[in-house]
Amino acid sequence: MSTALDTALRAALAEAERALASGDVPVGAVVLDPGGAVVGRGRNEREAAGDPTAHAEVLALRDAARRRGEWRLSGCTLAVTLEPCVMCAGATVLSRVDRLVYGARDPKAGAAGSMWDLVRDPRLNHRPEVIPPDLVDADVAAACSGLLTRFFGRRRG
């Protein structure tokens, strides 16, 4: 994986860690513009905002669209610590990002290859390139999954 995508996933991981303060599931996301600059940030805020749609990816895509002044995020990359759910995968497709990179698989609700593969469905008019955890830096992927494992371990224990 390129250094820019490693850096993006680390930035998403920092956002995920910020979600812990509000009791939200620690998922973070950033959007990179075509030049590699971060133009959108988000972290899960469902608990903090009382909003079922306040997922990290949706908030990062909204932030990027606001900053760029348009909803089409062509040429952009969405980097997220956890594989997007169906809602977030749909938002990824509809925003027209060129690339999705994620650090941990979600076998229960992932919609980028684990449970479903919405982002690469050939019936859709846009399909971003997908870079799953096995194609990212192993240390970054382990940090993404480890943060979630620790969070849920504390909630259960």
Side-chain angles (χ1 to χ4, degrees):
M1 184 166 81
S2 77
T3 304
L5 295 181
D6 289 339
T7 302
L9 270 179
R10 285 187 178 92
L13 193 54
E15 290 295 323
E17 290 170 354
R18 289 184 188 101
L20 293 170
S22 61
D24 277 286
V25 176
V27 177
V30 297
V31 177
L32 304 177
D33 72 9
V38 174
V39 293
R41 295 180 184 276
R43 61 183 169 273
N44 274 1
E45 294 183 13
R46 292 185 308 171
E47 299 298 329
D51 179 354
T53 68
H55 287 209
E57 301 95 322
V58 170
L59 298 177
L61 291 168
R62 286 178 185 163
D63 188 31
R66 184 176 52 253
R67 288 184 189 194
R68 288 173 50 103
E70 63 178 323
W71 64 266
R72 287 178 190 87
L73 300 177
S74 300
C76 292
T77 297
L78 173 63
V80 61
T81 57
L82 179 65
E83 180 179 1
C85 67
V86 172
M87 176 181 70
C88 295
T92 300
V93 170
L94 293 174
S95 70
R96 308 293 197 272
V97 297
D98 282 6
R99 184 178 305 106
L100 165 67
V101 57
Y102 63 95
R105 292 190 189 281
D106 186 348
K108 294 183 180 179
S114 290
M115 183 73 127
W116 299 280
D117 201 353
L118 181 66
V119 294
R120 291 180 283 207
D121 189 316
R123 296 170 292 184
L124 298 175
N125 66 337
H126 179 75
R127 289 178 298 283
E129 174 188 8
V130 177
I131 300 171
D134 50 319
L135 298 179
V136 303
D137 180 88
D139 291 336
V140 175
C144 291
S145 62
L147 181 61
L148 289 160
T149 299
R150 288 189 304 279
F151 174 79
F152 285 111
R154 285 192 294 263
R155 287 186 74 171
R156 290 183 192 110

